[in-house]
Amino acid sequence: ARRLRYRCRLSYAPAAEIVLPLLSQFAVAFVAVFSIVNPFAAIPVFVGMTADLPEEARRKLPRKTAMATFVILAGAYLTGEAVLSFFAISLPSLRVAGGILIFGMAWSMLQAKISPSKHRPEESDDPGNWGSLAFVPLGMPLLAGPGSISVMILAAANTSGLPGHLISILAAAVVGLSIWVILAGAGPIASFLGTAGMNVATRFMGLILAALAVEFIIAGVSEFFPAWTVPGSEGGLGPG
């Protein structure tokens, strides 16, 4: 019996060495993308845009919006590196630019506002064709904006191996599922949390984004100036 327990421990060890890093990568990718997408901040816009729509549209739009957001995020993950290569943009440049952009979004969120890079009022003026609202402006840029697209591209660049890439795509899929659930209950959630609760949630995610932005900027600058390298700085996503 003692030998059997010892063999079981040996068999579990390699599995843990594989699974735990993937779980860690999933958690980091999900938190980073979910914080930038921030579907809670989109609730007031969603409620306002769908107030005059028929019941069928209000029921179907959350699912369509979630699918559109996932397609945009997954597309950025799969094609982002090729786009960077085509335009001769280096990863350090993207890290610094993405970090500055994300910090600007975080600053707006810390003030309980939606960043102008994610939403402008004129983008929601025409609710006539409600099917297209799932892609523009809800899917992009309100949810899958420049910040989240930058994060997905950086995640792809920092990830190696098929399991790692699948985990990153899975994280984007879970973010999409979260968007579906949150927008489907947008009315009750807005009533339950109230303005104060929504502002607290937005500010909390803004704080996470600000820290993530600093990590991106430090990682990018460190690659331009290796002497400034901060030990342990990996740019926030992927195994490095």
Side-chain angles (χ1 to χ4, degrees):
R2 189 174 298 173
R3 288 183 179 178
L4 181 59
R5 287 196 297 270
Y6 179 71
R7 289 177 181 175
C8 288
R9 283 196 294 268
L10 288 179
S11 63
Y12 288 145
E17 292 177 359
I18 296 174
V19 172
L20 290 180
L22 291 177
L23 289 176
S24 176
Q25 178 187 344
F26 172 84
V28 170
F30 173 79
V31 171
V33 177
F34 184 85
S35 298
I36 298 176
V37 169
N38 191 14
F40 289 106
I43 287 178
V45 178
F46 180 83
V47 171
M49 291 177 62
T50 58
D52 297 327
L53 296 181
E55 178 63 27
E56 180 187 7
R58 289 198 299 268
R59 188 177 67 253
K60 292 182 177 180
L61 202 54
R63 175 174 56 84
K64 291 180 176 291
T65 302
M67 293 176 61
T69 304
F70 169 71
V71 168
I72 294 168
L73 294 176
Y77 187 89
L78 296 173
T79 64
E81 285 191 272
V83 172
L84 293 182
S85 177
F86 179 80
F87 289 103
I89 300 174
S90 67
L91 281 176
S93 298
L94 181 64
R95 286 191 177 99
V96 174
I100 294 172
L101 173 64
I102 293 170
F103 189 84
M105 294 168 57
W107 183 255
S108 295
M109 292 169 66
L110 287 170
Q111 300 174 68
K113 299 177 181 177
I114 297 179
S115 172
S117 68
K118 296 190 69 173
H119 175 69
R120 297 188 66 83
E122 58 267 23
E123 292 172 333
S124 55
D125 285 344
D126 182 17
N129 186 8
W130 66 266
S132 65
L133 296 178
F135 284 89
V136 179
L138 291 175
M140 186 173 69
L142 183 61
L143 292 167
S148 56
I149 290 174
S150 299
V151 167
M152 293 303 293
I153 295 175
L154 289 173
N158 289 340
T159 302
S160 59
L162 181 60
H165 289 300
L166 292 178
I167 286 293
S168 297
I169 296 294
L170 177 62
V174 175
V175 169
L177 181 62
S178 303
I179 292 170
W180 185 1
V181 171
I182 291 170
L183 293 186
I189 291 174
S191 300
F192 176 76
L193 291 179
T195 302
M198 298 287 291
N199 288 346
V200 168
T202 298
R203 288 189 172 103
F204 176 73
M205 292 184 184
L207 182 61
I208 294 176
L209 278 191
L212 183 66
V214 171
E215 287 290 330
F216 280 175
I217 294 172
I218 290 175
V221 171
S222 296
E223 291 188 54
F224 282 120
F225 304 98
W228 295 2
T229 300
V230 179
S233 177
E234 301 291 345
L237 289 174

